């Protein structure tokens, strides 16, 4: 059996797919699938390569479909004319218009739009296979066809039910499809949403159980003790500040505000639209631990005249390190520190989860402060008050006030010891 835990990045998974999975699929007499143009069903891949599917989920939070899109599989499936797997131009235009609005008007990052595209493509191709039509729009403009169209959407998800695997994955697909139909309604291209009650219909309205292990205080201490200066700084960015792995790897000195105005806290600033789910995500991140370590690191890197400002340079000091390198660091660091989490080596995303769990504990305090501001302004909706009346500095200070003691008590002292 292959040791998927030793795969270093998606390129290794893609190579394994081409060298092992595709030939097995081609040789399987029970399926009629051309690996040059098609990928296997979820059920086939899970049955034959369950470890492959599980590792993609645990290490990269990717479904097989999202993995195929990320690495360009199958080889001959990327023709523009066949991007959606259907020929009905109005339906294709409706899909493209929706994704364009997400990225251009709503400020969604490519890391959000890409998986949404993948899920919608799976949906429309499955709809075509089940219902033998790729015209998904015409029935939406005739109220008399509503019962039949709801049934067609239901039948499509009956097939997807067998292929998607986890409840969390099914909910993501329903959300993508339902939101697309909502867009069509809002644009006057549909009279109703045939996916409106899918979650209830299939019993998927319960909360999914996510398997999201994080680093414990003892894990973090052991990793810091075994790590070198670069590895420790990466741990600080992930667990101490709650950055996503890609944000930590590409962190640039120009994003740092280490000497803010009086009454403010040091923070990292992101450009509008730079973060995933940009409209809802924070554009700044408070630095509640390791500020002196940041200054020291800048001083150290600045000695090299070729340094271009990345806090975690790659093989060349002029470029940032990659997330693949970050994963390799974590794997090697976990082996040196003898840290094993739920049967696998530590992963960069586990660092962010460490911080995020603390943040979740303090959400009620943050929201209570926002609600108080809303009440003083006569607003019943705290979210509207926060969005419209509180500037980013005020929101940043509120988060810092709520998080500071918890971060200090949980692990800031650990960073102070090793950085």
């Amino acid at each position: 059996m292959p040791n998927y835990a030793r795969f270093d990045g998606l390129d290794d998974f893609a190579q394994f797919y081409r060298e092992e999975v595709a030939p097995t699929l081609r040789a399987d007499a029970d399926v009629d699938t051309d690996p040059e143009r098609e990928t296997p069903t979820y059920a086939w891949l899970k049955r034959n390569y369950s470890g492959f599917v599980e590792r993609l989920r645990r290490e990269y939070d990717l479904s097989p479909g999202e993995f195929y899109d990320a690495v360009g599989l199958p080889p001959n499936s990327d023709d523009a004319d066949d991007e959606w797997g259907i020929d009905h131009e109005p339906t294709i235009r409706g899909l493209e218009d929706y994704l364009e609005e997400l990225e251009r008007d709503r400020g969604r990052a490519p890391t959000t739009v890409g998986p949404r595209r993948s899920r919608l493509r799976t949906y429309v191709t499955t709809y075509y296979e089940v219902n033998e039509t790729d015209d998904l729009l015409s029935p939406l403009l005739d109220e008399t066809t509503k019962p039949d169209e709801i049934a067609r959407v239901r039948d499509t998800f009956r097939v997807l039910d067998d292929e998607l695997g986890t409840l969390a994955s099914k909910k993501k697909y329903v959300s993508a499809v339902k939101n697309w139909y909502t867009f069509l309604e809002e644009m006057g291209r549909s009279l109703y949403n045939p996916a409106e009650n899918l979650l209830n219909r299939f019993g998927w309205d319960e909360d999914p159980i996510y398997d999201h292990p994080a680093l414990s205080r003892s894990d973090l201490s052991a990793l810091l003790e075994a790590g070198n200066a670069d590895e420790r700084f990466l741990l600080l960015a992930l667990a101490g500040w709650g950055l996503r792995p890609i944000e930590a790897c590409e962190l640039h000195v120009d994003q740092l505000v280490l000497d803010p105005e009086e009454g403010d806290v040091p923070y990292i600033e992101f450009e509008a639209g730079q973060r995933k789910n940009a409209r809802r995500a924070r554009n700044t991140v408070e630095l509640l631990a390791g500020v002196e370590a940041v200054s020291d690191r800048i001083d150290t890197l600045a000695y090299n005249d070729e340094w271009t400002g990345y806090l975690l340079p790659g093989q060349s000091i002029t470029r940032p390190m990659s997330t693949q390198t970050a994963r390799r660091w974590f794997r090697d660091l976990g082996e040196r520190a003898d840290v094993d989490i739920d049967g696998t080596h530590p992963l960069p995303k586990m660092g962010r989860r460490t911080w995020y769990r603390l943040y979740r504990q303090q959400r009620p305090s943050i929201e209570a402060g926002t609600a108080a501001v809303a009440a003083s302004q006569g607003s019943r909706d705290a979210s509207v008050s926060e969005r419209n009346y509180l500037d980013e500095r005020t929101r940043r200070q509120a988060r810092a006030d709520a998080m500071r003691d918890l971060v200090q008590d949980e692990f800031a002292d650990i960073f102070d010891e090793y950085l």
Side-chain angles (χ1 to χ4, degrees):
M1 293 295 292
N3 187 353
Y4 302 111
R6 294 197 174 276
F7 286 10
D8 183 20
L10 289 181
D11 288 344
D12 284 353
F13 282 86
Q15 180 179 357
F16 178 81
Y17 179 92
R18 296 185 179 98
E19 296 178 356
E20 299 291 337
V21 178
T24 302
L25 180 64
R26 184 181 293 109
D28 192 335
D30 293 330
V31 298
D32 183 19
T33 303
D34 178 7
E36 288 297 309
R37 297 189 175 276
E38 304 169 276
T39 55
T41 64
Y42 177 90
W44 186 93
L45 190 64
K46 182 73 172 177
R47 182 171 62 252
N48 291 277
Y49 297 97
S50 60
F52 185 88
V53 175
E54 182 63 16
R55 280 291 171 180
L56 282 175
R57 182 185 68 82
R58 287 178 64 92
E59 294 201 26
Y60 300 95
D61 197 22
L62 292 176
S63 69
E66 292 163 347
F67 161 70
Y68 302 143
D69 282 353
V71 299
L73 289 169
N76 298 325
S77 67
D78 55 356
D79 292 339
D81 294 340
D82 191 41
E83 181 177 3
W84 288 101
I86 59 175
D87 296 324
H88 189 250
E89 285 299 328
T91 299
I92 294 173
R93 191 160 56 250
L95 292 161
E96 292 290 355
D97 288 349
Y98 169 60
L99 295 173
E100 181 181 355
E101 179 179 281
L102 284 182
E103 190 162 11
R104 184 189 65 190
D105 300 333
R106 303 189 196 179
R108 297 294 188 264
T111 51
T112 297
V113 177
R116 195 76 57 90
R117 178 184 292 273
S118 174
R119 291 167 193 144
L120 287 173
R121 186 186 190 281
T122 298
Y123 170 70
V124 297
T125 54
T126 305
Y127 181 103
Y128 174 54
E129 293 169 0
V130 170
N131 301 298
E132 299 183 350
T133 177
D134 58 358
D135 179 2
L136 279 69
L137 297 190
S138 295
L140 304 177
L141 296 174
D142 185 353
E143 282 280 2
T144 64
T145 65
K146 183 175 180 178
D148 291 336
E149 184 60 17
I150 290 175
R152 283 190 282 269
V153 173
R154 177 203 61 199
D155 292 343
T156 302
F157 269 89
R158 279 178 175 167
V159 174
L160 292 175
D161 185 17
D162 295 331
E163 297 185 1
L164 294 180
T166 66
L167 175 60
S169 180
K170 294 170 185 176
K171 290 171 78 76
K172 288 179 181 179
Y173 271 78
V174 170
S175 176
V177 171
K178 182 179 175 181
N179 288 339
W180 176 57
Y181 281 122
T182 297
F183 165 80
L184 295 176
E185 278 190 283
E186 293 172 346
M187 298 301 293
R189 303 186 196 182
S190 175
L191 298 176
Y192 58 90
N193 189 332
E196 184 67 34
N197 296 311
L198 273 175
L199 290 178
N200 292 335
R201 188 177 300 277
F202 282 91
W204 297 341
D205 50 341
E206 60 186 270
D207 292 334
I209 299 174
Y210 292 94
D211 180 16
H212 285 172
L215 302 177
S216 67
R217 181 183 173 89
S218 60
D219 293 332
L220 187 58
S221 180
L223 293 171
L224 286 168
E225 184 175 2
N228 58 36
D230 292 335
E231 292 164 337
R232 290 171 176 173
F233 189 82
L234 177 61
L235 282 165
L236 172 65
L238 296 169
W241 305 334
L243 297 185
R244 295 177 174 85
I246 185 66
E247 295 169 347
C249 291
E250 297 183 356
L251 183 63
H252 194 275
V253 67
D254 290 345
Q255 296 175 261
L256 301 175
V257 180
L258 301 180
D259 188 21
E261 298 179 10
E262 185 177 354
D264 203 350
V265 294
Y267 60 92
I268 302 168
E269 187 168 29
F270 294 88
E271 294 180 3
Q274 187 176 354
R275 307 199 78 196
K276 183 177 180 180
N277 299 329
R279 284 291 177 88
R280 291 176 293 174
R282 300 176 292 145
N283 284 332
T284 60
V285 170
E286 304 78 47
L287 301 181
L288 302 181
V291 176
E292 291 185 7
V294 179
S295 299
D296 292 343
R297 186 165 184 82
I298 293 173
D299 291 341
T300 299
L301 292 170
Y303 275 110
N304 191 320
D305 293 337
E306 296 182 0
W307 183 53
T308 56
Y310 290 106
L311 275 297
L312 285 165
Q315 292 182 342
S316 167
I317 197 169
T318 63
R319 299 177 59 83
M321 71 182 291
S322 67
T323 53
Q324 288 88 350
T325 298
R327 283 191 288 271
R328 185 172 67 251
W329 283 12
F330 262 65
R331 182 190 64 202
D332 295 344
L333 183 56
E335 291 178 355
R336 298 201 307 272
D338 195 24
V339 171
D340 182 276
I341 301 173
D342 285 1
T344 188
H345 59 80
L347 300 170
K349 61 185 178 183
M350 293 177 182
R352 170 173 164 78
R353 289 171 185 162
T354 300
W355 178 92
Y356 197 72
R357 287 188 177 181
L358 300 184
Y359 178 72
R360 288 287 297 272
Q361 292 179 39
Q362 291 303 97
R363 281 291 297 177
S365 298
I366 298 171
E367 291 172 353
T370 303
V373 174
S376 69
Q377 296 168 340
S379 173
R380 295 182 179 180
D381 190 336
S383 64
V384 171
S385 175
E386 180 176 2
R387 185 169 59 249
N388 294 335
Y389 301 111
L390 300 184
D391 59 25
E392 181 61 23
R393 176 182 175 182
T394 304
R395 289 192 291 266
R396 181 168 57 247
Q397 188 64 56
R399 291 190 299 264
D401 290 344
M403 287 288 291
R404 184 177 288 106
D405 290 343
L406 191 57
V407 169
Q408 292 291 336
D409 291 345
E410 188 68 22
F411 50 62
D413 58 326
I414 302 179
F415 286 115
D416 290 341
E417 179 180 352
Y418 292 104
L419 293 174

mmCIF file of all heavy atoms in Angstrom, residues 261-275:
data_model
loop_
_atom_site.group_PDB
_atom_site.id
_atom_site.type_symbol
_atom_site.label_atom_id
_atom_site.label_comp_id
_atom_site.label_asym_id
_atom_site.label_seq_id
_atom_site.Cartn_x
_atom_site.Cartn_y
_atom_site.Cartn_z
ATOM 1 N N GLU A 261 -0.868 53.993 15.813
ATOM 2 C CA GLU A 261 -1.248 55.188 16.548
ATOM 3 C C GLU A 261 -1.546 54.840 18.005
ATOM 4 O O GLU A 261 -1.853 53.695 18.341
ATOM 5 C CB GLU A 261 -2.478 55.818 15.909
ATOM 6 C CG GLU A 261 -2.267 56.288 14.473
ATOM 7 C CD GLU A 261 -3.535 56.870 13.885
ATOM 8 O OE1 GLU A 261 -4.509 57.069 14.655
ATOM 9 O OE2 GLU A 261 -3.568 57.116 12.666
ATOM 10 N N GLU A 262 -1.475 55.830 18.845
ATOM 11 C CA GLU A 262 -1.728 55.621 20.268
ATOM 12 C C GLU A 262 -3.122 55.027 20.478
ATOM 13 O O GLU A 262 -4.100 55.471 19.890
ATOM 14 C CB GLU A 262 -1.606 56.941 21.025
ATOM 15 C CG GLU A 262 -1.724 56.795 22.534
ATOM 16 C CD GLU A 262 -1.524 58.102 23.261
ATOM 17 O OE1 GLU A 262 -1.177 59.109 22.584
ATOM 18 O OE2 GLU A 262 -1.698 58.129 24.484
ATOM 19 N N GLY A 263 -3.200 54.016 21.320
ATOM 20 C CA GLY A 263 -4.464 53.366 21.599
ATOM 21 C C GLY A 263 -4.764 52.192 20.691
ATOM 22 O O GLY A 263 -5.722 51.449 20.926
ATOM 23 N N ASP A 264 -3.956 52.007 19.647
ATOM 24 C CA ASP A 264 -4.150 50.891 18.732
ATOM 25 C C ASP A 264 -3.167 49.775 19.086
ATOM 26 O O ASP A 264 -2.294 49.946 19.947
ATOM 27 C CB ASP A 264 -3.952 51.358 17.291
ATOM 28 C CG ASP A 264 -4.658 50.464 16.272
ATOM 29 O OD1 ASP A 264 -5.130 49.386 16.670
ATOM 30 O OD2 ASP A 264 -4.738 50.848 15.090
ATOM 31 N N VAL A 265 -3.279 48.640 18.410
ATOM 32 C CA VAL A 265 -2.384 47.511 18.642
ATOM 33 C C VAL A 265 -1.624 47.231 17.352
ATOM 34 O O VAL A 265 -2.102 47.517 16.257
ATOM 35 C CB VAL A 265 -3.180 46.249 19.061
ATOM 36 C CG1 VAL A 265 -3.841 46.455 20.403
ATOM 37 C CG2 VAL A 265 -4.211 45.870 18.008
ATOM 38 N N PRO A 266 -0.421 46.665 17.443
ATOM 39 C CA PRO A 266 0.290 46.275 16.216
ATOM 40 C C PRO A 266 -0.554 45.284 15.415
ATOM 41 O O PRO A 266 -1.257 44.447 15.985
ATOM 42 C CB PRO A 266 1.574 45.627 16.748
ATOM 43 C CG PRO A 266 1.757 46.215 18.114
ATOM 44 C CD PRO A 266 0.378 46.400 18.656
ATOM 45 N N TYR A 267 -0.452 45.360 14.097
ATOM 46 C CA TYR A 267 -1.300 44.484 13.286
ATOM 47 C C TYR A 267 -0.692 44.254 11.912
ATOM 48 O O TYR A 267 0.256 44.933 11.495
ATOM 49 C CB TYR A 267 -2.706 45.061 13.144
ATOM 50 C CG TYR A 267 -2.791 46.426 12.482
ATOM 51 C CD1 TYR A 267 -2.979 46.564 11.109
ATOM 52 C CD2 TYR A 267 -2.709 47.602 13.246
ATOM 53 C CE1 TYR A 267 -3.070 47.810 10.506
ATOM 54 C CE2 TYR A 267 -2.803 48.860 12.658
ATOM 55 C CZ TYR A 267 -2.983 48.956 11.287
ATOM 56 O OH TYR A 267 -3.072 50.193 10.692
ATOM 57 N N ILE A 268 -1.249 43.254 11.228
ATOM 58 C CA ILE A 268 -0.931 42.954 9.830
ATOM 59 C C ILE A 268 -2.091 43.453 8.994
ATOM 60 O O ILE A 268 -3.251 43.243 9.349
ATOM 61 C CB ILE A 268 -0.750 41.439 9.609
ATOM 62 C CG1 ILE A 268 0.361 40.895 10.507
ATOM 63 C CG2 ILE A 268 -0.446 41.130 8.151
ATOM 64 C CD1 ILE A 268 0.406 39.376 10.554
ATOM 65 N N GLU A 269 -1.790 44.084 7.873
ATOM 66 C CA GLU A 269 -2.836 44.630 7.022
ATOM 67 C C GLU A 269 -2.840 43.914 5.672
ATOM 68 O O GLU A 269 -1.791 43.710 5.063
ATOM 69 C CB GLU A 269 -2.629 46.128 6.815
ATOM 70 C CG GLU A 269 -3.769 46.801 6.069
ATOM 71 C CD GLU A 269 -3.681 48.312 6.140
ATOM 72 O OE1 GLU A 269 -2.541 48.820 6.247
ATOM 73 O OE2 GLU A 269 -4.716 48.980 6.091
ATOM 74 N N PHE A 270 -4.023 43.517 5.235
ATOM 75 C CA PHE A 270 -4.194 42.878 3.942
ATOM 76 C C PHE A 270 -4.927 43.822 3.000
ATOM 77 O O PHE A 270 -5.801 44.580 3.427
ATOM 78 C CB PHE A 270 -4.998 41.574 4.075
ATOM 79 C CG PHE A 270 -4.281 40.509 4.850
ATOM 80 C CD1 PHE A 270 -4.398 40.440 6.228
ATOM 81 C CD2 PHE A 270 -3.486 39.584 4.205
ATOM 82 C CE1 PHE A 270 -3.732 39.470 6.955
ATOM 83 C CE2 PHE A 270 -2.818 38.604 4.916
ATOM 84 C CZ PHE A 270 -2.935 38.546 6.292
ATOM 85 N N GLU A 271 -4.589 43.739 1.723
ATOM 86 C CA GLU A 271 -5.294 44.546 0.739
ATOM 87 C C GLU A 271 -6.732 44.052 0.604
ATOM 88 O O GLU A 271 -7.027 42.883 0.852
ATOM 89 C CB GLU A 271 -4.598 44.460 -0.619
ATOM 90 C CG GLU A 271 -3.213 45.078 -0.639
ATOM 91 C CD GLU A 271 -2.573 44.971 -2.009
ATOM 92 O OE1 GLU A 271 -3.249 44.475 -2.931
ATOM 93 O OE2 GLU A 271 -1.408 45.381 -2.145
ATOM 94 N N ALA A 272 -7.629 44.938 0.207
ATOM 95 C CA ALA A 272 -9.018 44.557 -0.002
ATOM 96 C C ALA A 272 -9.083 43.441 -1.033
ATOM 97 O O ALA A 272 -8.488 43.514 -2.095
ATOM 98 C CB ALA A 272 -9.833 45.764 -0.477
ATOM 99 N N GLY A 273 -9.825 42.378 -0.679
ATOM 100 C CA GLY A 273 -9.981 41.249 -1.590
ATOM 101 C C GLY A 273 -8.852 40.246 -1.538
ATOM 102 O O GLY A 273 -8.879 39.247 -2.239
ATOM 103 N N GLN A 274 -7.829 40.491 -0.696
ATOM 104 C CA GLN A 274 -6.666 39.599 -0.648
ATOM 105 C C GLN A 274 -6.950 38.329 0.135
ATOM 106 O O GLN A 274 -6.386 37.280 -0.151
ATOM 107 C CB GLN A 274 -5.478 40.334 -0.026
ATOM 108 C CG GLN A 274 -4.163 39.558 -0.073
ATOM 109 C CD GLN A 274 -3.000 40.377 0.461
ATOM 110 O OE1 GLN A 274 -3.133 41.548 0.766
ATOM 111 N NE2 GLN A 274 -1.846 39.753 0.581
ATOM 112 N N ARG A 275 -7.828 38.419 1.116
ATOM 113 C CA ARG A 275 -8.090 37.269 1.968
ATOM 114 C C ARG A 275 -9.247 36.442 1.439
ATOM 115 O O ARG A 275 -10.123 36.941 0.740
ATOM 116 C CB ARG A 275 -8.417 37.713 3.398
ATOM 117 C CG ARG A 275 -7.382 38.625 4.011
ATOM 118 C CD ARG A 275 -7.517 38.649 5.510
ATOM 119 N NE ARG A 275 -6.952 37.463 6.119
ATOM 120 C CZ ARG A 275 -7.195 37.080 7.366
ATOM 121 N NH1 ARG A 275 -8.014 37.778 8.116
ATOM 122 N NH2 ARG A 275 -6.641 35.990 7.853
#
